Amino acid sequence: MFKAFLIKYAEIGIKGKNRFLFEDALVDRIRHALKKVEGEFKVYKTQGRIYADALSPFDFDETVDALKKVFGISGICPVVYVEDEGFEQLGKDVTAFVDSVYPDKNKTFKVNARRARKNYPLTSMELNCELGGVLLDAFPELSVDVHQPDFELHVEIREKICIYSEIIPGPGGMPVGTNGKAMLLLSGGIDSPVAGYMISKRGVKIDAVYFHAPPYTSERAKQKVVDLAKYVSAYSGPMNLHVINFTDIQLYIYDKCPHDELTIIMRRWMMRIAEKIAKDTDCLGLITGESIGQVASQTMQSLAATNEVCSLPVYRPLIGFDKQEIVEIAEKIDTYETSIQPYEDCCTIFVAKHPVTKPNINIIKAHEQNLEEKIEELVQTALETKEVIAIS
Ligand code: ATP
Ligand code: MG
């Protein structure tokens, strides 16, 4: 019975003069998301509302699922439009709506009418009372509860009249593209896809970089990262995944530096390389999946050592999260099952038995001087041979 959706948005409503930019971006993101759904839709904004009208038969569940991935949407309301043919007809339409949406009438309700067109003969208050009365007459099992009703029947009087009662929660956040771009360091783990999702949720477009180390890491490990990038891009939109061959750099570090500092020094080179790519691709920051204390390379001292090599801001949205909290989000965004597949990522190959947990930046820097001879050349080669995979 539903052939249209009213799209609710929260935060973007408060952006003052920039409001229309956010609304236009949201309309654009919705159009993009619905392109992947079977059916044709008209997406438009009018009078501070965004609608998606189906112009052809469509799959309801698939459409709702697609809309649930569009940042900026706070609620998805399946609506029925009816023509304004007088109050009596409206009463019939509302009765028919309730009858088909709620087969079980043993419920409490309230009517929430809104007269957006002031030439309608009844005020909003009058509509609430009158329509409530019509429904009570039609279905004696119903009763009114204005505080905590089982359903709230919304009736919006505009050019057409729009009836809805269900508000399916959207993902919240802001439309992607309204807040610049950042580079996600994406590994095959649980955390970094979640970190990318969270920053993207704030309207940031993302690209990603993955460091792999063939033959120490397999093609399967790389494929896993590509798969994760696809799951994230279902929310964040199309992205470029930059794949850097890190093997020679890793072996060189292994050869020249103390093994208990390997992870930290490797992470510093990852950050440096990621930042180079970020700056070349108009990114305004880096994103990692780090969380304080989760592993040796994420103690406060280690984070300071990793951070020290970057001039761009490093966004770490999971910094205060426990693993379980991160897992819950990973499950919600469908990345968890892929993340736990057991393919080595390039950090796990060269992990020391007893990595330093409190690295001293000056000592790390001194040991990095052992790399002076060849590291610039290796980084250059890694950048020149990087593979870019378009994820959409
Ligand atoms: P994750 O679950 O995201 O892999 P982790 O708990 O395994 O995190 P680390 O391996 O210490 O933690 O990595 C910390 C962060 O560094 C990751 O969240 C990711 O942003 C980045 N990172 C680590 N390894 C790689 C890699 N091979 N390619 C790209 N980024 C990486
Ligand atoms: Mg990891």
Side-chain angles (χ1 to χ4, degrees), residues 347-358:
C347 278
T348 52
I349 301 292
F350 292 88
V351 269
K353 282 199 191 69
H354 302 289
V356 281
T357 53
K358 292 182 184 163

Side-chain angles (χ1 to χ4, degrees), residues 210-317:
Y210 167 58
F211 297 89
H212 80 142
Y216 303 98
T217 59
S218 63
E219 255 325 279
R220 293 295 297 275
K222 176 174 144 192
Q223 185 56 43
K224 177 177 161 183
V225 174
V226 171
D227 293 344
L228 288 171
K230 282 186 188 152
Y231 283 115
V232 174
S233 83
Y235 291 90
S236 68
M239 68 167 88
N240 283 329
L241 171 63
H242 303 262
V243 180
I244 290 278
N245 186 325
F246 203 55
T247 312
D248 290 343
I249 295 171
Q250 215 162 351
L251 289 173
Y252 189 51
I253 299 171
Y254 192 75
D255 194 30
K256 299 281 182 189
C257 300
H259 289 182
D260 60 349
E261 288 170 4
L262 273 183
T263 308
I264 284 295
I265 294 177
M266 258 163 38
R267 302 269 307 110
R268 281 164 63 95
W269 285 98
M270 280 187 193
M271 297 301 268
R272 288 181 175 108
I273 293 170
E275 180 169 87
K276 276 203 164 75
I277 305 171
K279 285 182 171 167
D280 283 348
T281 54
D282 299 323
C283 290
L284 300 170
L286 301 175
I287 308 166
T288 74
E290 291 158 314
S291 151
I292 293 173
Q294 197 190 75
V295 287
S297 59
Q298 297 176 26
T299 61
M300 289 292 275
Q301 292 83 351
S302 298
L303 288 167
T306 316
N307 208 57
E308 197 245 350
V309 299
C310 302
S311 65
L312 285 179
V314 181
Y315 295 105
R316 301 180 171 92

Side-chain angles (χ1 to χ4, degrees), residues 10 47 240 335:
Q47 299 174 305
N240 283 329
T335 54

Side-chain angles (χ1 to χ4, degrees), residues 20-39:
F20 77 96
L21 291 177
F22 284 78
E23 289 171 338
D24 289 349
L26 183 54
V27 166
D28 205 58
R29 295 293 90 215
I30 294 170
R31 282 189 187 136
H32 180 82
L34 292 182
K35 264 193 206 130
K36 293 184 186 154
V37 172
E38 215 172 288

